[in-house]
Amino acid sequence: MIRISEIFYSLQGETRTTGLPTVFIRLTGCPLRCTWCDTEYAFKGGDLLSSDAILDKVSEYAPKYVTVTGGEPLAQRECHQLLKLLADRGYEVSLETSGAITLSEVDPRVVKVMDLKPPASGESHRNLYENIRFLDKKDQLKFVIADRGDYDWSVSKMIEYDLAGRVSDVLFSPVSGEMSAQSLASWILEDRLPVRFQLQLHRMIWGDKPGV
């Protein structure tokens, strides 16, 4: 049994597959409390569902892409079995994770989209840097940036760990309502960074409404 906050069908709002129809499975619970978190409603509550019930719900949409997210989905050990079952069904499965819990047991077929938390998140001390060695060329690494200090920190981590050479995409996102998208884009261009700038497409379309 897995505690699920919501299962919904929407357009992918971030990552390399932005804009593509995707089923989202949002697991309940997260040990982090990032200052800019936009899914606090998933910290608690939800419904206990069996893997079969989850798979049945996903199949109703006949999707190509499935994203397992949170909260922090790996906070529930049962997440690993769910990821395996989804991959067994032939879906292109991605996992959105904070990077604070080991990725060592994640099914190798799953695309890992891992955060590194900059200082303004309030949770940079939770970064588990050993997880970087579990990332490969199909995976993605995301920085959510609130100010110039976060940007400089993120660039330093890119260099220190050769992130652009390790994963398919390094993603830079401005914190909505705090960081100017134009400023972040300008810094990326000035420094000629090999990163993918992204905005949260789903928030641009539907705002902060859950389940879209």
Side-chain angles (χ1 to χ4, degrees), residues 5-6 8 26 38-45 208-211:
S5 178
E6 56 186 348
F8 60 97
R26 189 180 305 283
D38 59 1
T39 52
E40 293 180 0
Y41 63 89
F43 287 169
K44 57 185 179 180
D208 291 330
K209 180 181 177 183

Side-chain angles (χ1 to χ4, degrees), residues 83-162:
L83 292 169
K84 178 182 182 303
L85 291 172
L86 290 166
D88 287 346
R89 292 285 182 99
Y91 301 124
E92 293 192 27
V93 183
S94 61
L95 169 73
E96 295 184 346
T97 177
S98 65
I101 297 175
T102 182
L103 300 178
S104 60
E105 298 178 41
V106 174
D107 189 292
R109 295 169 292 179
V110 172
V111 174
K112 298 177 285 292
V113 183
M114 188 187 95
D115 280 20
L116 279 181
K117 304 293 187 183
S121 71
E123 294 285 17
S124 60
H125 61 287
R126 304 291 292 273
N127 289 323
L128 194 61
Y129 291 101
E130 69 179 40
N131 271 334
I132 293 173
R133 66 188 176 99
F134 299 121
L135 301 175
D136 58 37
K137 274 296 188 178
K138 73 177 183 313
D139 298 325
Q140 300 162 68
L141 208 150
K142 182 172 70 172
F143 295 87
V144 181
I145 294 169
D147 53 33
R148 182 71 200 206
D150 274 3
Y151 174 82
D152 291 339
W153 181 93
S154 300
V155 172
S156 74
K157 296 304 178 186
M158 282 188 63
I159 295 169
E160 180 180 356
Y161 292 101
D162 185 27

Side-chain angles (χ1 to χ4, degrees), residues 5-18:
S5 178
E6 56 186 348
I7 300 174
F8 60 97
Y9 186 57
S10 187
L11 300 180
Q12 175 60 261
E14 303 176 87
T15 77
R16 189 174 63 241
T17 58
T18 294

Side-chain angles (χ1 to χ4, degrees), residues 178-194:
E178 293 187 36
M179 175 75 236
S180 161
Q182 185 175 9
S183 293
L184 179 56
S186 296
W187 298 339
I188 290 170
L189 292 171
E190 288 168 6
D191 291 337
R192 293 175 168 80
L193 288 187

